[in-house]
Amino acid sequence: MNRPFISLCPEITRTDALTLMDWLEDECVTRYLSDSRHVSRFIAQVIGRVQSPILTPLFNQGGRFFIAYDRHDARVGFVRLVKTGPDCEMVLVIGNRNDWGRQLGAAAIRESMKLAFLEMRAERLIARIHPDNARSLRAFERCGFVAESQAPALKSFAMTAMRYRQFLRETPAGHAANIHITEIDKDRLSSLLAFVRDPAVFELEHEIERATVVDPGQVPGDVVTMNSRALLQLDDEAVEVTLVYPEDADCSAGKLSVCSGIGTAILGYREGDALDWRMPDRTRRIRIEKVLYQPEATGNFHL
């Protein structure tokens, strides 16, 4: 798969902090980062006074901090999201110059929008970029951001929550395969989202928002819908699963909740599709080998 892939991990380790310091010592990386000296000094102080291997609470003071990983679980940069009232401001850095030009910046922006609008419930996401930072300007423009204002040192771009949802529905997802969901599944899953308290449920909301909605009788027979049984390839392991609602989940019987990581990942994909999906500990490669059973294909529409 050649599509750029980024996952944003909220856990910050001591090793992450040391990598961040290396990035911030590169003048090419920090050229357009206005507070790079402050950040570098803060990291040095943290490493010096804290012995814990997990530093997440310290990095989340005043906002949320994420390490950006590529599909090989290599650290490539970081994102900071600071929410003030209805607005959220974003800072993005791809820290390794060898990763520039891989469109990882745009992939990180898309993941940041998902977090800002669907998890943090911001109404507007703002990015302030130096006018000479042509690479960043192009990345934000490709992701649908609109220029709002310009000062000599910074150009302000913004995306609203309404525009983001419209962008998801109307713009082909060049970074991910198109997926399909039936009208019945969308209605029931949308109702489910209002009651599920799992913080990871925003991933399911994202997939529902971007899916092509079809009549149950018109969904292709090789698409994974709710209550479908499918043969998956998870990395090097063949696994047979049934995609179910949370109340029917039973891991010992291969019944995966649609709110689980793999359950959310496979919804709407079809035979032959492959995708990368970040689990809590690593990124997994998932391939839909075969849809063994689909209710819509047999006329057994689930209500």
Side-chain angles (χ1 to χ4, degrees), residues 52-72:
S52 171
I54 304 300
L55 306 176
T56 305
L58 295 170
F59 275 82
N60 283 344
Q61 294 178 9
R64 297 189 62 188
F65 197 93
F66 303 86
I67 295 294
Y69 289 88
D70 67 9
R71 62 169 40 90
H72 305 295

Side-chain angles (χ1 to χ4, degrees), residues 179-190:
I179 62 174
H180 296 78
I181 186 172
T182 69
E183 294 172 347
I184 295 173
D185 285 348
K186 180 176 182 179
D187 288 344
R188 185 170 175 185
L189 289 170
S190 296

Side-chain angles (χ1 to χ4, degrees), residues 73-290:
D73 291 330
R75 300 175 186 85
V76 297
F78 66 85
V79 167
R80 182 170 174 80
L81 296 174
V82 179
K83 192 168 185 286
T84 306
D87 291 347
C88 186
E89 185 168 348
M90 171 185 177
V91 175
L92 163 66
V93 171
I94 300 299
N96 190 334
R97 277 189 281 166
N98 293 331
D99 292 314
W100 293 0
R102 295 173 56 195
Q103 298 186 25
L104 296 180
I109 293 169
R110 287 189 290 265
E111 289 299 304
S112 300
M113 288 193 290
K114 187 194 305 183
L115 285 161
F117 292 122
L118 301 183
E119 184 185 17
M120 300 172 70
R121 296 296 170 181
E123 294 179 14
R124 194 168 67 126
L125 182 60
I126 303 166
R128 293 184 171 91
I129 308 166
H130 194 285
D132 294 337
N133 191 350
R135 194 185 300 275
S136 288
L137 293 174
R138 288 195 301 269
F140 279 92
E141 288 172 345
R142 281 201 304 271
C143 291
F145 278 68
V146 177
E148 284 195 331
S149 61
Q150 181 167 348
L154 289 174
K155 189 171 185 177
S156 181
F157 282 79
M159 168 73 77
T160 64
M162 183 180 297
R163 177 173 167 78
Y164 171 67
R165 291 178 182 272
Q166 181 180 359
F167 195 73
L168 277 182
R169 291 190 292 267
E170 297 180 357
T171 304
H175 64 290
N178 293 330
I179 62 174
H180 296 78
I181 186 172
T182 69
E183 294 172 347
I184 295 173
D185 285 348
K186 180 176 182 179
D187 288 344
R188 185 170 175 185
L189 289 170
S190 296
S191 298
L192 173 70
L193 290 174
F195 299 99
V196 176
R197 300 305 177 203
D198 187 335
V201 78
F202 74 92
E203 294 279 9
L204 177 58
E205 184 177 358
H206 175 266
E207 295 302 278
I208 293 172
E209 286 284 348
R210 77 178 186 88
T212 300
V213 181
V214 296
D215 181 271
Q218 296 178 339
V219 65
D222 62 351
V223 169
V224 178
T225 66
M226 293 305 302
N227 295 308
S228 290
R229 189 171 73 254
L231 178 64
L232 310 179
Q233 189 77 16
L234 300 180
D235 296 327
D236 298 324
E237 178 185 8
V239 180
E240 187 175 315
V241 302
T242 301
L243 185 63
V244 300
Y245 290 95
E247 63 269 22
D248 299 320
D250 182 353
C251 291
S252 63
K255 295 181 179 181
L256 292 185
S257 167
V258 69
C259 295
S260 67
I262 295 174
T264 297
I266 66 175
L267 177 66
Y269 281 89
R270 62 194 307 172
E271 288 181 12
D273 283 342
L275 63 146
D276 297 295
W277 196 268
R278 178 75 186 191
M279 302 300 174
D281 59 337
R282 62 191 173 103
T283 300
R284 302 203 68 176
R285 179 70 167 175
I286 306 172
R287 178 179 171 83
I288 314 297
E289 294 290 347
K290 188 171 183 61

